[in-house]
Amino acid sequence: MSWNDRRDATGAFVQADRRRIQTAVLGGTDSDEPLMLPMEAIELDAFRRVHADDTFWCGTLLGGCGGQLTTKLYTDRACHFAHHPDPDGLPHVCGRRSRGVDSADHLYVRSAAAAWLAGRGEQATFEYTRTEGAPLGSVVDVRWRHGALRVHLDQAVAPVWDDGVEPVLGTMVPVDRDTLIRRWYVHRIRLNSVGTARHVQIGTEAFARPIEWFALDECEMTERGLSTPAVEEIVQARTAPRPSLWSPGKARKVPEPEARAQALLRRLVYARRIESVPMVKQVCGDIEDLTGVDEELQEQLEAAVRHARVWLVEQDEERRKLFCNLNRAVEEQKPGRVRRLLLRVNATAAEDRTDAESAVYERASRYFESLDDLTRDAVEAEADTEKEARKAAGRARNALQRLRGYDAYTFDLRSQVEELVRSATLAGELLTRGEARRVEVWKKRAARGLQAQLHVARQYWIQRSCPRCNAEQGKDCVLIEGPNSGKPRKGGHNERLQLVLDERKAAQKMARQQKKSRQEVAAPAEPTQPAPEASEREASPRRPLQERRPESDRGRAHETRTKAAARLHHQVPRGDWYRMGCPRCHAGPDTLCENDDRVGPSAKRQLPHDERLRRVLQSGDRSGLGEQQKGARDERQHHTAPPAGVKARPPQPRRAEREPQETASSAARTWHAKDVTCPKCQARPNSPCTPRGPHQERVEWAKEFTRKLWG
């Protein structure tokens, strides 16, 4: 017998446990207030200052001996609690089985649950249930007036699902797929170290859904029991009525054996889809026992059973490989792989294990439980890293899917490409070779720098062929580089869009030149008058300086006259606009002019061409008619005598002709954004832009129409 072994109260020898003690209770040996010691020396100094007046104990609720503990500070290894030495100088012997950071989790669960229920007006009682062979703290029973929970922190005690107490499972407690399907969901619990305490989180696990974790304050107690935000989504999805696809007037009667056969076939398909081996075996047995169906349906049932038997053989082989890999991982002492395989065994092979499979599972469980705290923390950190890598791989695949239709790194794609590169770096080897090649292509494009993406409506650039990918007129552009080369591209290449922009610039330049030439032709030439004689200049009175017209006013008046002369549609009555044919577009009388200079959105012009209006102004019949009307009006005024008793009013000076004004009754008007088609989203006139509008391109296009209309 070594000095490290002593007898306990029963007289049996107890071997000393060399593992470091990380948890204790405050105040006394029967205390239920847990405490965790920090492992770093710099944190232990602050811990000692905070608890300078407290005492630490190896409490009985921790399975300890009840002795007092002291803190040990180390700089070369983890700090920990230690027992006071015996008076006789022998090492202290304690039968405490669990000493790591999770050894007081049942006390932390009790404290968190008591505070949570007290905040909801409930007072709870707690019991640390101990079954034969199970250590203290494996199961915590929480009971209150309106409900009860049983928390399984490890797998020492198998959960019972139908005894009225809802189980809450630890992260390493297995649950089979059939239970998840039958119960819709199960709750899990985990505790995270925060300083010198452990915080409780509740997770909800459902079939084909990842575990979603929530803080305890986010959970509630309902009629269904413990509820989290994930439970509400699951229940709503399972209880929502499915939309009816058809409404038959009268259901066709099907013989009972045939209806049962069809139901069994559907159930077999569902069982294979969810990979439930027990359900597949049960359905196959029900199909073999079914009788009374016709020959054709019987052949279908037999074929389905044959395929199911082959699938069961494949599942047995996969199960054999799973346990072989688990046994090999234990022999090679790979804790990370052991943890992953244990989780897989708990999910797929939790029931109906053979003796050999049970032996492999027990061996792996003992190996994992025997690991020290540092190794477990490293394994958990590795598992978290792998989980983040899987999430990053999913984000990278989604980004690649969104970028599938592009072959240029533009400003619009900058955020997506940056997210792709970050996610691919975290994913590492989880991406396939094809996905890695596509990521490298985008990295090279990003290295070449950002490109400006031109914006032209598809209805315009689709009418031209692409000089880059050689897409014909009416065909979409295709990708010219990368793994997806040859497939349709989202949007046209910049080279194809540039053709449209160049044509627009040329048309605008030509329109400005034509407008300038028309203004030069329409501007009246100023008559030249001979210079007056000097005597006349001297005889004429000089105007005072304040009455002289400034040169700037004269220039502005000349510009106004030129502008008014250019707007010929104000000088011709509306009824005479289309009296004569157009010499420019050859439109006949009473016919609108062709919109050859793109003034307005329609094929016809809102106003006639200036050449047509000038022709009307210069026509002799119109000027003769005007002179005749003017002469008749003057003659009537001259021969009409004023009535008796009324004094003849002196002739009034003729009012100066006012400059034509642009009124609402004129055909010329201001174009607003809603009146034109949006060149960005193709919204029709009087329709809003999507998703948010109006777009700036639509506003500028309306302004351009207005400028062209008013000249």
Side-chain angles (χ1 to χ4, degrees):
M1 181 181 70
S2 66
W3 289 105
N4 294 330
D5 297 339
R6 298 186 63 184
R7 295 180 182 271
D8 60 3
T10 62
F13 287 105
V14 178
Q15 187 176 5
D17 194 336
R18 291 294 184 180
R19 289 178 296 172
R20 309 301 181 185
I21 302 176
Q22 295 297 147
T23 58
V25 293
L26 286 173
T29 183
D30 297 328
S31 172
D32 59 358
E33 186 176 354
L35 189 68
M36 184 176 66
L37 188 74
M39 297 184 182
E40 300 295 334
I42 189 173
E43 297 177 354
L44 183 56
D45 290 336
F47 178 85
R48 286 175 171 176
R49 289 193 296 269
V50 173
H51 298 281
D53 300 331
D54 297 329
T55 56
F56 314 115
W57 300 82
C58 185
T60 56
L61 292 179
L62 297 176
C65 61
Q68 189 173 358
L69 301 176
T70 185
T71 57
K72 291 288 186 179
L73 186 148
Y74 297 95
T75 58
D76 56 344
R77 59 180 184 269
C79 303
H80 57 84
F81 288 111
H83 289 88
H84 288 282
D86 286 348
D88 54 4
L90 296 177
H92 185 85
V93 178
C94 178
R96 182 173 171 182
R97 298 178 58 179
S98 180
R99 302 186 175 195
V101 293
D102 58 348
S103 58
D105 281 354
H106 56 292
L107 299 182
Y108 283 112
V109 169
R110 178 196 179 283
S111 177
W116 178 66
L117 290 171
R120 286 154 179 77
E122 297 286 350
Q123 185 175 2
T125 59
F126 300 89
E127 181 180 354
Y128 306 111
T129 305
R130 300 190 64 177
T131 58
E132 184 177 357
L136 178 65
S138 295
V139 178
V140 181
D141 283 338
V142 185
R143 300 181 183 275
W144 64 98
R145 181 176 53 180
H146 299 295
L149 296 174
R150 171 165 290 183
V151 182
H152 295 262
L153 294 175
D154 56 33
Q155 49 187 330
V157 179
V160 180
W161 300 103
D162 300 317
D163 63 347
V165 180
E166 183 177 6
V168 181
L169 311 180
T171 55
M172 296 300 295
V173 179
V175 57
D176 59 282
R177 182 184 290 105
D178 295 332
T179 301
L180 285 177
I181 296 172
R182 178 173 57 86
R183 293 183 57 86
W184 296 5
Y185 62 88
V186 297
H187 289 303
R188 291 193 176 275
I189 187 172
R190 70 179 181 186
L191 290 90
N192 300 323
S193 298
V194 180
T196 58
R198 301 271 284 175
H199 288 189
V200 175
Q201 281 188 316
I202 301 298
T204 301
E205 180 181 5
F207 177 71
R209 288 172 61 108
I211 301 178
E212 299 183 53
W213 294 97
F214 306 93
L216 192 57
D217 292 337
E218 300 180 68
C219 304
E220 296 292 341
M221 290 303 302
T222 64
E223 296 179 356
R224 300 181 59 89
L226 182 61
S227 178
T228 65
V231 170
E232 298 176 2
E233 297 178 3
I234 295 171
V235 173
Q236 183 177 4
R238 296 290 295 268
T239 57
R242 296 183 178 181
S244 178
L245 299 180
W246 60 287
S247 55
K250 185 177 181 180
R252 182 174 61 91
K253 292 184 179 180
V254 180
E256 183 178 354
E258 294 184 6
R260 178 168 174 75
Q262 296 293 342
L264 289 174
L265 287 175
R266 290 192 298 269
R267 189 179 178 191
L268 182 60
V269 172
Y270 174 74
R272 289 189 55 179
R273 182 181 303 166
I274 64 176
E275 297 182 356
S276 176
V277 174
M279 184 180 295
V280 171
K281 293 180 179 179
Q282 179 183 359
V283 175
C284 288
D286 294 340
I287 291 177
E288 292 175 348
D289 296 338
L290 184 64
T291 58
V293 297
D294 56 16
E295 183 177 356
E296 181 179 359
L297 186 56
Q298 183 66 33
E299 293 179 358
Q300 296 180 9
L301 294 174
E302 292 176 356
V305 171
R306 285 197 303 270
H307 289 292
R309 297 296 184 190
V310 173
W311 180 82
L312 289 174
V313 172
E314 296 175 353
Q315 294 298 313
D316 291 341
E317 181 64 20
E318 291 292 332
R319 181 165 177 161
R320 185 189 65 79
K321 291 181 180 180
L322 175 61
F323 281 95
C324 289
N325 294 334
L326 179 59
N327 190 29
R328 188 181 303 110
V330 174
E331 293 177 354
E332 297 175 356
Q333 296 186 356
K334 296 181 178 180
R337 184 171 176 80
V338 170
R339 179 186 180 278
R340 290 192 299 270
L341 293 175
L342 280 175
L343 292 176
R344 187 176 173 186
V345 168
N346 291 335
T348 60
E351 295 182 352
D352 300 332
R353 296 175 186 158
T354 62
D355 295 339
E357 292 174 347
S358 299
V360 172
Y361 182 80
E362 293 296 334
R363 181 185 177 188
S365 300
R366 288 195 302 270
Y367 165 74
F368 191 79
E369 292 176 356
S370 65
L371 299 175
D372 57 11
D373 297 330
L374 295 179
T375 305
R376 284 194 180 185
D377 293 341
V379 171
E380 294 294 336
E382 181 184 357
D384 293 339
T385 303
E386 293 178 355
K387 184 177 180 180
E388 292 298 328
R390 288 193 296 271
K391 292 182 179 179
R395 293 195 300 268
R397 293 187 180 97
N398 293 335
L400 287 174
Q401 185 67 24
R402 292 193 299 269
L403 296 171
R404 183 182 296 272
Y406 300 95
D407 58 358
Y409 181 45
T410 61
F411 288 95
D412 299 338
L413 304 178
R414 181 176 181 177
S415 59
Q416 300 184 35
V417 174
E418 292 177 351
E419 175 66 19
L420 171 64
V421 174
R422 288 195 301 267
S423 301
T425 303
L426 293 176
E429 299 179 354
L430 295 180
L431 298 178
T432 63
R433 293 183 179 179
E435 294 169 345
R437 287 196 301 268
R438 293 166 61 188
V439 172
E440 290 299 325
V441 169
W442 279 107
K443 287 183 179 179
K444 293 179 181 178
R445 293 171 182 168
R448 291 197 295 263
L450 289 168
Q451 300 180 12
Q453 177 64 42
L454 302 179
H455 296 283
V456 177
R458 183 178 182 274
Q459 62 178 350
Y460 300 115
W461 60 257
I462 199 67
Q463 300 175 6
R464 295 159 180 81
S465 59
C466 181
R468 185 174 183 185
C469 64
N470 299 323
E472 299 178 356
Q473 181 179 0
K475 301 291 185 180
D476 288 321
C477 290
V478 296
L479 303 174
I480 59 175
E481 62 178 8
N484 297 324
S485 58
K487 295 183 179 180
R489 185 184 191 273
K490 290 185 178 180
H493 286 109
N494 278 355
E495 293 80 358
R496 193 173 188 178
L497 275 58
Q498 189 64 44
L499 296 176
V500 181
L501 297 179
D502 293 342
E503 291 182 3
R504 290 181 180 177
K505 291 180 181 179
Q508 293 174 0
K509 183 178 180 180
M510 183 178 296
R512 287 193 297 267
Q513 293 176 354
Q514 293 177 357
K515 174 183 175 182
K516 184 177 180 180
S517 62
R518 289 195 300 268
Q519 290 178 353
E520 293 176 355
V521 173
E526 295 184 0
T528 58
Q529 298 180 359
E533 298 294 336
S535 58
E536 295 180 0
R537 289 199 302 268
E538 294 176 358
S540 61
R542 296 180 58 87
R543 299 176 61 185
L545 293 178
Q546 62 272 18
E547 295 182 3
R548 290 184 180 180
R549 195 173 187 181
E551 294 292 334
S552 59
D553 293 346
R554 286 197 295 242
R556 190 179 300 109
H558 175 70
E559 181 181 356
T560 303
R561 288 195 303 270
T562 304
K563 185 175 180 181
R567 296 172 182 168
L568 300 179
H569 56 273
H570 291 296
Q571 304 178 23
V572 179
R574 186 182 183 91
D576 294 337
W577 280 2
Y578 303 103
R579 184 167 55 84
M580 305 180 68
C582 180
R584 177 174 175 179
C585 64
H586 306 291
D590 300 328
T591 304
L592 299 177
C593 289
E594 297 292 336
N595 191 7
D596 54 355
D597 52 357
R598 298 183 64 183
V599 178
S602 61
K604 300 294 184 179
R605 287 176 57 92
Q606 299 289 330
L607 300 174
H609 286 113
D610 290 347
E611 293 82 354
R612 191 172 194 174
L613 297 173
R614 194 174 296 111
R615 184 177 182 182
V616 175
L617 285 174
Q618 297 173 356
S619 61
D621 54 350
R622 182 183 181 279
S623 59
L625 178 61
E627 293 295 336
Q628 294 175 6
Q629 293 176 353
K630 182 178 179 182
R633 184 169 59 252
D634 294 342
E635 184 178 359
R636 287 195 302 270
Q637 293 178 358
H638 179 72
H639 292 287
T640 302
V646 179
K647 295 183 179 180
R649 299 179 61 182
Q652 298 293 329
R654 188 173 181 180
R655 183 179 298 178
E657 294 184 0
R658 297 177 59 185
E659 180 182 349
Q661 300 294 324
E662 302 167 1
T663 61
S665 60
S666 174
R669 61 185 179 87
T670 300
W671 288 83
H672 302 283
K674 65 179 181 179
D675 300 327
V676 299
T677 300
C678 180
K680 183 174 183 180
C681 65
Q682 305 305 315
R684 304 300 300 172
N686 298 323
S687 298
C689 291
T690 56
R692 294 182 299 272
H695 292 121
Q696 185 62 27
E697 294 83 352
R698 190 174 189 178
V699 176
E700 295 296 334
W701 195 231
K703 291 181 180 179
E704 182 67 18
F705 282 162
T706 303
R707 286 193 294 269
K708 289 182 178 181
L709 186 63
W710 288 105

